[in-house]
Amino acid sequence: MLKQVIALSVVAALISGCSVTQKPITPSLTNADFNSGLQVSQTVIIDVINSNNNQQANDISALSTEIRKLKTQVSTAMRRKSEKIMVQPPMPKAAEVKQCPESIMGEKFLLGEVESVFIDELKVKFATRIDTGAESSSLDARNIVLFEREGEQWVRFDVMTNGFDQPGNTFESEVEHFIRIKQDVDTGDDRRPVIHAHLKIGKYSAETELNLTDRSHLDYPLLLGRKFMKDIAIVDVGQIYIHGKAKNQITTLIK
């Protein structure tokens, strides 16, 4: 009996220990539950991906819009710059030609067949023949002597500035060049030195070249030819002293 009691006690203790240490049993996961959970997870992941894709698409669209705006701005700026470059400058106004003070010899003036002419270098007025038949101009000069000064050709000559019954005055001038005047067959060509002179006829002034020669046998000590008159004067051979006759002019002929 005691053995039975002990045996029962041992069995009861074992049963009690097992009941204390046994853990709760979790129900096992079925395939249906796993597939259902997987589908839910997949749906959530797809929703997240789609949401991200939509957000990225919106961002890309916004970025594309900004790029298009930027391109438009750049294109507009470049077009405006090109227009500025290609714009033709306004045509400048034609510059007004300033009228210079009327030149004393700016227009042709009328000369008579004989005029009183002042030679500034000699400070004398001469009775002068205006001769359209002569090409060059000449001045009555005596005792013509050529010499050299500082390597240049000069000429010394006398002019009857005190009248033909008085001794002449001596002048010197640089020679511009020489000219040959055809004479008679017996005498041959006449080589004359040429000087530069400033002339005044009334209110008109001009510059010309004068060749020096002895004109004592001619009527007038000074002759002006076509080179002097070219482009500046017209001659009326029917008149004399259109610009006035000087009382103290040098002459060999009383007219």
Side-chain angles (χ1 to χ4, degrees):
M1 185 69 179
L2 180 57
K3 290 181 179 180
Q4 293 179 349
V5 171
I6 293 170
L8 289 174
S9 298
V10 171
V11 171
L14 290 173
I15 294 172
S16 176
C18 291
S19 62
V20 172
T21 58
Q22 187 176 4
K23 294 181 179 180
I25 299 173
T26 302
S28 62
L29 183 64
T30 64
N31 288 336
D33 293 338
F34 177 78
N35 289 333
S36 176
L38 184 61
Q39 289 179 356
V40 171
S41 299
Q42 185 177 4
T43 300
V44 171
I45 292 172
I46 291 173
D47 290 341
V48 171
I49 292 174
N50 289 335
S51 177
N52 290 336
N53 289 338
N54 291 335
Q55 184 63 38
Q56 289 179 356
N58 291 335
D59 293 341
I60 292 173
S61 177
L63 183 59
S64 298
T65 301
E66 292 298 325
I67 292 174
R68 284 195 298 271
K69 288 181 179 180
L70 183 59
K71 286 183 177 180
T72 302
Q73 292 175 357
V74 171
S75 177
T76 302
M78 292 297 293
R79 186 173 61 254
R80 289 178 179 177
K81 184 177 181 180
S82 176
E83 288 175 355
K84 288 181 180 179
I85 295 175
M86 296 301 294
V87 169
Q88 301 216 355
M91 293 295 292
K93 294 182 179 179
E96 296 182 0
V97 178
K98 294 184 179 179
Q99 296 294 333
C100 297
E102 184 177 355
S103 172
I104 294 178
M105 301 298 286
E107 298 179 358
K108 290 187 177 182
F109 62 100
L110 185 64
L111 292 175
E113 185 182 22
V114 179
E115 295 288 353
S116 292
V117 178
F118 177 80
I119 299 181
D120 189 55
E121 285 77 5
L122 308 181
K123 307 301 180 186
V124 178
K125 290 183 178 179
F126 295 89
T128 304
R129 171 75 184 278
I130 312 299
D131 189 357
T132 58
E135 182 178 6
S136 58
S137 302
S138 61
L139 172 66
D140 180 28
R142 317 287 175 83
N143 304 319
I144 299 173
V145 178
L146 297 172
F147 65 97
E148 188 173 309
R149 177 178 290 170
E150 296 180 355
E152 301 294 337
Q153 188 74 62
W154 281 63
V155 61
R156 182 181 298 112
F157 56 95
D158 294 339
V159 178
M160 312 309 290
T161 56
N162 301 315
F164 284 90
D165 56 348
Q166 299 293 328
N169 289 330
T170 301
F171 299 90
E172 293 180 348
S173 179
E174 185 175 359
V175 176
E176 297 293 322
H177 58 88
F178 291 88
I179 186 173
R180 289 189 178 275
I181 304 298
K182 290 184 178 181
Q183 301 291 341
D184 297 334
V185 177
D186 296 336
T187 58
D189 293 346
D190 184 15
R191 183 173 181 265
R192 303 175 184 176
V194 177
I195 65 172
H196 189 80
H198 296 77
L199 310 182
K200 291 183 181 178
I201 306 175
K203 66 178 181 178
Y204 300 99
S205 298
E207 299 179 31
T208 192
E209 291 183 341
L210 301 175
N211 64 71
L212 304 179
T213 186
D214 186 346
R215 293 179 56 86
S216 59
H217 59 289
L218 299 172
D219 291 339
Y220 299 95
L222 180 61
L223 178 141
L224 296 180
R226 293 192 304 271
K227 285 185 177 180
F228 167 77
M229 292 176 284
K230 184 180 179 181
D231 300 329
I232 65 172
I234 300 174
V235 180
D236 182 355
V237 297
Q239 300 188 64
I240 61 173
Y241 295 114
I242 293 176
H243 301 279
K245 180 180 178 181
K247 294 182 180 179
N248 57 343
Q249 65 180 355
I250 304 302
T251 184
T252 57
L253 181 66
I254 305 299
K255 280 193 178 183

